Amino acid sequence: MFGFGIADELSQEVFSSLIEDREWLSEFTIHARTVLGMILECTSGHPIQDIPDEELFGEKSDMWPPLRECPILSSLVSKLRPVKLSSVKLHHIVAFTFEMTHDIDSIASAVPSFTRLFSAGSLFSEMPPIPKESIEQRRLIDQAIVERANKSSSNPVIDNFDCIKDVDLVGKAFGLDPKYTKTRYLIEIIRLGRDASINDLLGGSSAILMKSFLIEELVKILCARLNNIISSLKRTKQYRGVISRLDAEASNWVKDQAERITSQNDDYTPASLITTHSLIVRLQSMTENDTFSDQINSLCLISEMLLKAVREQEQQRVLDV
């Protein structure tokens, strides 16, 4: 509102009390970010085509019923001023950052020039370029992706990246590779154990993902899952023989990777052996003749052997009954 220069009617007393209301401020920030995001989507690479009035209101118009010019709307439109894209981006980033952190220091570290945005009419003024790819900016994007993944993980099917559109816009403004946000989002969904919900999305998005980063992170998650499954099966007498037949070198590597994740406080949701094996097979098709192919093949051999042993044990139980 300050950026558009339309906050004259708001006294300091009224606005101060609203800002102190955390719930109101959170709602206002969300709506402000949404409007700014819409402006960015409409102005980025899509020039607005101006249709002459005579084509709409003239006698040659084919529209029926014929349009009549509205003097009130025309008066409002005549007062419009074009906003500056650099300023809209900065406003959007500040709203986004505040929504994520509710912390002024975090905004200042990500956008050092943000105080200029509170000048009346600042949306119509050019703003200085934003510093690119700082540690604070990357941390902010990661935090936003984790939050979006947690919110959308309850959906049975996730077939698009709509929920991280705003994160993508801010990431681009920070100079991050557009593929990073999408890749990171899929990693977080899988970290939450929701592999099945993105099955089609993962398969159809390979061209817009950072493949090496994706596989490197998923290998860590898979090692943590398999190590957890192996530890559980060890406690059952019937499976100890199978565990002892696993390749010792591969098993130790899986354990080391899993312990490294634990030491870094990287949380993940345990998944079933079937879900884990399905993901390994999917990655195997993505890493054929790749630098990660040996690691994926080792994981696949372990999961196949464990899955076979569990199925045989279940069949035996059915026969015993």
Side-chain angles (χ1 to χ4, degrees):
M1 294 177 73
F2 287 111
F4 277 119
I6 57 175
D8 296 341
E9 68 277 14
L10 291 177
S11 66
Q12 184 176 348
E13 292 75 19
V14 172
F15 207 69
S16 296
S17 62
L18 289 173
I19 287 177
E20 289 170 3
D21 184 339
R22 192 177 182 88
E23 185 177 345
W24 179 91
L25 187 58
S26 295
E27 287 292 322
F28 179 80
T29 304
I30 291 171
H31 294 312
R33 176 183 54 75
T34 302
V35 171
L36 291 165
M38 291 168 63
I39 295 174
L40 283 175
E41 284 193 56
C42 291
T43 56
S44 299
H46 301 286
I48 298 174
Q49 294 183 350
D50 188 22
I51 302 175
D53 290 346
E54 55 269 18
E55 290 188 19
L56 290 175
F57 307 113
E59 295 179 359
K60 296 181 179 179
S61 175
D62 294 330
M63 290 188 180
W64 181 261
L67 294 177
R68 295 290 182 265
E69 187 172 1
C70 174
I72 298 175
L73 181 59
S74 297
S75 176
L76 291 171
V77 171
S78 66
K79 296 177 182 178
L80 292 177
R81 296 165 58 191
V83 295
K84 297 295 183 182
L85 192 58
S86 62
S87 183
V88 178
K89 285 181 179 179
L90 212 56
H91 277 82
H92 183 261
I93 289 171
V94 168
F96 175 88
T97 306
F98 184 76
E99 185 185 346
M100 288 294 103
T101 64
H102 288 276
D103 179 42
I104 297 299
D105 291 336
S106 295
I107 299 175
S109 63
V111 189
S113 58
F114 86 99
T115 53
R116 293 183 56 179
L117 301 182
F118 296 97
S119 303
S122 57
L123 274 167
F124 308 110
S125 305
E126 289 288 355
M127 291 291 163
I130 306 165
K132 304 291 185 182
E133 291 193 74
S134 69
I135 296 174
E136 292 80 8
Q137 290 170 345
R138 179 64 69 95
R139 188 182 297 122
L140 176 67
I141 293 297
D142 287 344
Q143 178 186 342
I145 292 171
V146 170
E147 182 179 289
R148 296 295 193 279
N150 281 315
K151 285 182 178 179
S152 60
S153 63
S154 59
N155 298 338
V157 177
I158 303 172
D159 55 7
N160 58 60
F161 294 102
D162 287 351
C163 72
I164 58 167
K165 270 186 177 180
D166 57 337
V167 185
D168 217 9
L169 283 171
V170 176
K172 289 176 183 176
F174 285 159
L176 295 175
D177 189 328
K179 294 181 178 181
Y180 176 80
T181 52
K182 296 178 179 63
T183 306
R184 187 77 191 184
Y185 175 70
L186 293 181
I187 291 170
E188 290 305 322
I189 292 293
I190 292 172
R191 192 188 301 279
L192 293 169
R194 299 290 297 157
D195 311 21
S197 66
I198 57 168
N199 193 44
D200 292 337
L201 186 60
L202 180 61
S205 305
S206 57
I208 55 174
L209 299 176
M210 298 174 72
K211 182 180 174 182
S212 295
F213 175 56
L214 174 71
I215 295 172
E216 183 180 358
E217 292 300 308
L218 293 189
V219 164
K220 295 176 185 176
I221 294 172
L222 288 168
C223 285
R225 287 184 182 181
L226 283 175
N227 187 62
N228 183 63
I229 291 168
I230 291 170
S231 298
S232 297
L233 292 177
K234 274 183 179 178
R235 293 192 286 269
T236 305
K237 184 178 179 180
Q238 293 91 327
Y239 297 115
R240 288 173 189 166
V242 178
I243 302 299
S244 65
R245 293 199 300 273
L246 295 175
D247 183 85
E249 185 177 350
S251 297
N252 289 333
W253 173 74
V254 166
K255 184 179 180 182
D256 290 342
Q257 292 295 315
E259 289 176 349
R260 192 173 302 171
I261 290 177
T262 305
S263 65
Q264 293 173 350
N265 295 320
D266 286 343
D267 294 330
Y268 74 96
T269 302
S272 70
L273 180 55
I274 293 176
T275 300
T276 300
H277 181 67
S278 296
L279 181 58
I280 292 172
V281 172
R282 168 63 65 87
L283 290 188
Q284 201 172 31
S285 65
M286 294 173 62
T287 58
E288 194 172 351
N289 300 320
D290 197 290
T291 53
F292 295 98
S293 59
D294 289 342
Q295 294 179 357
I296 301 298
N297 288 337
S298 296
L299 293 176
C300 193
L301 287 173
I302 292 175
S303 64
E304 277 181 348
M305 185 175 289
L306 294 175
L307 192 58
K308 181 181 179 182
V310 170
R311 284 173 173 167
E312 287 177 351
Q313 187 64 33
E314 289 179 350
Q315 290 175 355
Q316 186 61 45
R317 285 178 184 171
V318 171
L319 291 175
D320 290 342
V321 172

